[in-house]
Amino acid sequence: MAPVTNPESTTGGWNATLAWPVRRLAEKLSSLASRHLNQTASDTTTERKAGLPGRILAGKRVAETGGLAAAASDTPAKTQDWWTRIRRFDAQMREDLATAQRLDPAARTKIEVALGYPGVHALWLHRLCHAMWLRPNLKLPARLLSQFGRHLTGVEIHPGAQLGRRLFIDHGMGVVIGETTEVGNDVLLFHGVTLGGRAMVKGKRHPTLGNSVTVGAGAKVLGPIHIGDGARIGANSVVVGDVPPGGVVVGVPGKARKVRSGVEPGLLEDPALWI
């Protein structure tokens, strides 16, 4: 292939020498522009011939080219959504601290609860783990983080467990809450409580606790049973059957007991006092 020579390099001096590459660049740009116009016309003709499918294709192209602008416009909304989540989590943390102070006479200040209560720490970690568990690609990290929380707090809560508001785990050590457990609002759990299953099968296999339920230290609530609102389960009881709302269960196996007449149950009294 013969090398490209500059026909004006020997006759026109510096002006001719500069004009030749400029002219060559202009020719290339003109060629590219005409090629682009021809391609656009061809695409338009093809879409017209294609009828409605062609117009749909054209609409998809416009949507794709506008994707970046749409993503940019969504950015403030996403930022606002994250800020809303942070504020909600902060409100829940404050509510947890207030709940611990209300239910534990030994809790003096919110700072003391925030720094020294493993049951509260376990609850905070679980909220993060549960949010991760709801995303299919984060189930393994959620499980590992929950095990790290178990190591730190002595409380094992499966990321799949559904826990209500104002739950308080007093002392915390040895508490186990299974995957399909459901816990209502204003529930009080003491140390050593197990909300577990009775069969190694998939599906619902752990208990459901209603609102305002109290479970004493060391109690075992096993199986897909329902504990009614306001029920109380005594320390070291083993419960394998449903408990009606407001019921009191003590013993092994757990049996319903009537509250002695003239005794007004207190918020933190163990149901075993009523035997």
Side-chain angles (χ1 to χ4, degrees), residues 48-254:
R48 286 177 179 175
K49 290 181 179 179
L52 179 60
R55 292 194 293 274
I56 293 176
L57 178 61
K60 288 183 177 180
R61 289 179 179 174
V62 172
E64 290 174 357
T65 55
L68 293 177
S73 64
D74 288 344
T75 301
K78 292 180 179 179
T79 303
Q80 185 177 6
D81 181 57
W82 276 105
W83 178 243
T84 301
R85 293 181 183 180
I86 293 174
R87 293 182 61 183
R88 185 186 303 118
F89 188 73
D90 177 69
Q92 289 177 336
M93 292 177 65
R94 293 176 182 273
E95 187 177 61
D96 294 334
L97 297 177
T99 300
Q101 276 194 298
R102 178 171 56 88
L103 296 180
D104 188 1
R108 298 180 300 169
T109 64
K110 288 183 173 62
I111 294 296
E112 180 179 337
V113 174
L115 297 178
Y117 275 58
V120 175
H121 301 160
L123 188 58
W124 290 346
L125 275 172
H126 170 73
R127 289 208 180 98
L128 176 59
C129 293
H130 184 67
M132 296 169 62
W133 183 261
L134 297 179
R135 300 175 180 270
N137 58 334
L138 294 180
K139 287 187 180 295
L140 177 59
R143 197 74 171 93
L144 297 179
L145 182 58
S146 70
Q147 290 300 301
F148 178 69
R150 172 181 180 269
H151 173 73
L152 290 179
T153 65
V155 178
E156 181 173 349
I157 308 176
H158 192 283
Q162 302 178 43
L163 307 183
R165 296 175 56 186
R166 296 179 297 277
L167 168 65
F168 179 51
I169 304 175
D170 197 8
H171 301 295
M173 183 61 67
V175 170
V176 177
I177 301 178
E179 177 187 7
T180 61
T181 301
E182 300 174 52
V183 177
N185 299 327
D186 302 297
V187 172
L188 173 62
L189 305 179
F190 286 93
H191 55 280
V193 167
T194 298
L195 305 180
R198 289 179 293 172
M200 306 299 288
V201 295
K202 292 185 178 295
K204 177 64 173 176
R205 60 190 183 278
H206 299 102
T208 298
L209 276 62
N211 299 325
S212 304
V213 173
T214 300
V215 184
K220 316 300 177 187
V221 185
L222 307 176
I225 61 177
H226 185 270
I227 310 299
D229 294 347
R232 297 168 183 269
I233 299 174
N236 295 315
S237 300
V238 178
V239 183
V240 294
D242 292 345
V243 179
V248 176
V249 176
V250 294
V252 181

Side-chain angles (χ1 to χ4, degrees), residues 36-49 61:
H36 175 71
L37 290 175
N38 292 336
Q39 181 66 33
T40 303
S42 175
D43 292 345
T44 304
T45 302
T46 301
E47 290 170 1
R48 286 177 179 175
K49 290 181 179 179
R61 289 179 179 174

Side-chain angles (χ1 to χ4, degrees), residues 254-274:
K255 296 181 179 180
R257 294 289 189 270
K258 292 184 178 180
V259 179
R260 292 184 305 183
S261 60
V263 177
E264 182 67 24
L267 180 64
L268 301 177
E269 289 180 348
D270 193 294
L273 296 174
W274 304 328

